[in-house]
Amino acid sequence: MATNIVTNAKHNFELDCKKIHDSLGGLRQLIPSLACLTQLERQQLRETYKEVYGEDLISQLQRYEDEFSSMKCSVLYLWMLDPHDRDAVVAREALQQDETNFKALVEIFACRKSSHVLLIIQAYQKRFRRLLDQDIINLDPPHPFQKILVALAASHKAHQTDVSQHISKCDARRLYETGEGSLGAVYEAVVLEILSKRSIPQLKLTSLSYKSIYGHDYTKSIKKGNYGQFGKALLVVVKCICNPAYYYAKSLYTSIKGETRDRGTLARALVSRAEVDMDEIRRVFKEKYEKELVDVIHEGIPSGDCKDFLVALATRSTSPS
């Protein structure tokens, strides 16, 4: 019989730690319960484990990565990290790959609050003794994603809080006039200026204003334009900013069913959105692919790839209780 971690209101973290400690090497029976813990509960669990056993729980879990076989990185390891530390680790891994994983970086800068991004930058510097934005700037060979990411990093540092309908309409007109309605204006420079000066909520509002004024989504304008690699990069960023549930639903499906299956993307998406908008992602996923997300995971992921934990994350509810 599986041993379940206590998850009631009066948490017995010492009992939880004992169950984990006694089960190391046979964690599969525990991981669905670990997936149910909140961020605060996971933090308390780590602190208690350190107090009782004098060891870092995350380091202990890493010793048993054979439990996760072909997963590129331990999904359980990512889950147990504090969110800003997790994103710092993901960012470093993305930058160290032979081919930079720009989508992983885009998700961090386009789908996080500014206060959280600032914590990520601090965590990155503390862990790796490096500056995240500088590492992005120094990437070689140069790529259009770099310019966009640097602009978004500047936006988060500005840390705007208010949104303005007037600014959104002005920005929408500037994007149109230098894009599909232009006679040769410098489109890229205008896009980067707007990205560097506006918050994510403000950029979302600009997208809504664009559709209201011109009758179609801004993404359609990007697709129509002859913007080369910059346009392709911008399209990914705009989709991630304006409709994250749709972006992640597609990302999850492709990571499981695509020609190039990507377990790293699957783990990253489930872990980062499990406590944010998983209900909405499941709804969009079913609407788009006419299948339940959990069913697709069951069909596409071998049992040895920590399937139970992935399923548990995919079935978490983010709706208010």
Side-chain angles (χ1 to χ4, degrees):
M1 182 180 294
T3 306
N4 291 325
I5 288 178
V6 180
T7 55
N8 56 33
K10 295 183 178 179
H11 228 100
N12 187 333
F13 288 102
E14 289 190 15
L15 178 59
D16 291 353
C17 289
K18 184 177 188 305
K19 289 177 179 178
I20 292 173
H21 185 266
D22 293 347
S23 300
L24 286 177
L27 275 173
R28 190 166 285 114
Q29 63 180 354
L30 291 177
I31 55 180
S33 298
L34 286 171
C36 295
L37 298 177
T38 65
Q39 177 189 335
L40 179 58
E41 287 169 342
R42 297 194 300 274
Q43 182 179 355
Q44 290 176 304
L45 190 65
R46 287 181 59 189
E47 291 172 355
T48 304
Y49 197 92
K50 179 74 172 178
E51 290 174 5
V52 174
Y53 296 103
E55 297 172 323
D56 180 25
L57 175 57
I58 290 180
S59 297
Q60 287 292 93
L61 294 174
Q62 282 183 291
R63 297 181 189 180
Y64 295 91
E65 283 196 340
D66 59 318
E67 287 279 323
F68 314 116
S69 59
S70 65
M71 297 294 286
K72 289 186 178 178
C73 64
S74 167
V75 60
L76 183 53
Y77 165 69
L78 289 177
W79 178 243
M80 294 301 294
L81 286 170
D82 291 333
H84 52 277
D85 284 319
R86 177 198 306 148
D87 282 335
V89 169
V90 168
R92 186 63 184 155
E93 181 180 321
L95 288 163
Q96 287 187 308
Q97 292 182 16
D98 292 337
E99 186 174 337
T100 303
N101 188 344
F102 283 109
K103 286 190 176 181
L105 295 170
V106 166
E107 289 163 15
I108 289 172
F109 283 98
C111 291
R112 309 291 190 264
K113 294 180 180 179
S114 292
S115 56
H116 183 72
V117 170
L118 296 180
L119 289 175
I120 296 168
I121 292 171
Q122 292 171 10
Y124 187 92
Q125 184 173 5
K126 183 178 180 180
R127 276 178 170 266
F128 307 112
R129 301 293 187 267
R130 306 176 67 88
L131 300 176
L132 177 54
D133 48 357
Q134 196 62 48
D135 279 350
I136 293 172
I137 292 171
N138 291 340
L139 285 171
D140 190 46
H143 194 283
F145 269 121
Q146 283 172 275
K147 299 177 182 178
I148 296 174
L149 288 167
V150 170
L152 289 174
S155 169
H156 284 296
K157 287 179 180 178
H159 198 52
Q160 308 99 326
T161 54
D162 297 329
V163 294
S164 164
Q165 193 74 43
H166 173 71
I167 290 175
S168 75
K169 290 177 180 178
C170 291
D171 285 347
R173 290 192 178 96
R174 288 187 70 200
L175 290 171
Y176 178 82
E177 290 166 0
T178 56
E180 60 182 299
S182 85
L183 297 175
V186 184
Y187 176 72
E188 185 174 317
V190 170
V191 169
L192 293 174
E193 180 191 345
I194 290 173
L195 289 177
S196 69
K197 293 182 177 180
R198 308 295 185 236
S199 66
I200 297 300
Q202 184 67 54
L203 292 171
K204 288 182 179 181
L205 188 58
T206 296
S207 177
L208 293 174
S209 293
Y210 196 100
K211 184 173 184 178
S212 175
I213 296 170
Y214 301 108
H216 58 263
D217 288 331
Y218 178 48
T219 52
K220 184 177 180 180
S221 168
I222 300 172
K223 291 175 184 177
K224 284 172 57 180
N226 184 23
Y227 307 131
Q229 290 300 311
F230 180 82
K232 292 179 181 179
L234 180 61
L235 190 61
V236 172
V237 173
V238 171
K239 287 180 177 179
C240 196
I241 289 174
C242 297
N243 197 341
Y246 183 93
Y247 170 91
Y248 277 104
K250 183 177 180 180
S251 181
L252 285 166
Y253 185 84
T254 304
S255 70
I256 303 169
K257 292 290 191 179
E259 292 182 9
T260 306
R261 298 182 181 183
D262 187 347
R263 298 295 181 258
T265 294
L266 174 63
R268 187 178 73 246
L270 289 175
V271 168
S272 66
R273 309 311 289 186
E275 296 178 286
V276 181
D277 55 358
M278 190 53 66
D279 290 324
E280 180 67 6
I281 290 171
R282 283 197 302 270
R283 184 192 67 77
V284 172
F285 191 98
K286 185 175 183 179
E287 184 179 281
K288 182 173 175 60
Y289 300 108
E290 298 182 344
K291 286 187 175 183
E292 298 286 354
L293 172 58
V294 170
D295 292 339
V296 173
I297 293 174
H298 276 299
E299 292 169 6
I301 305 299
S303 295
D305 272 2
C306 204
K307 179 192 289 188
D308 290 345
F309 189 72
L310 296 172
V311 168
L313 290 181
T315 54
R316 280 185 64 112
S317 175
T318 49
S319 300
S321 56

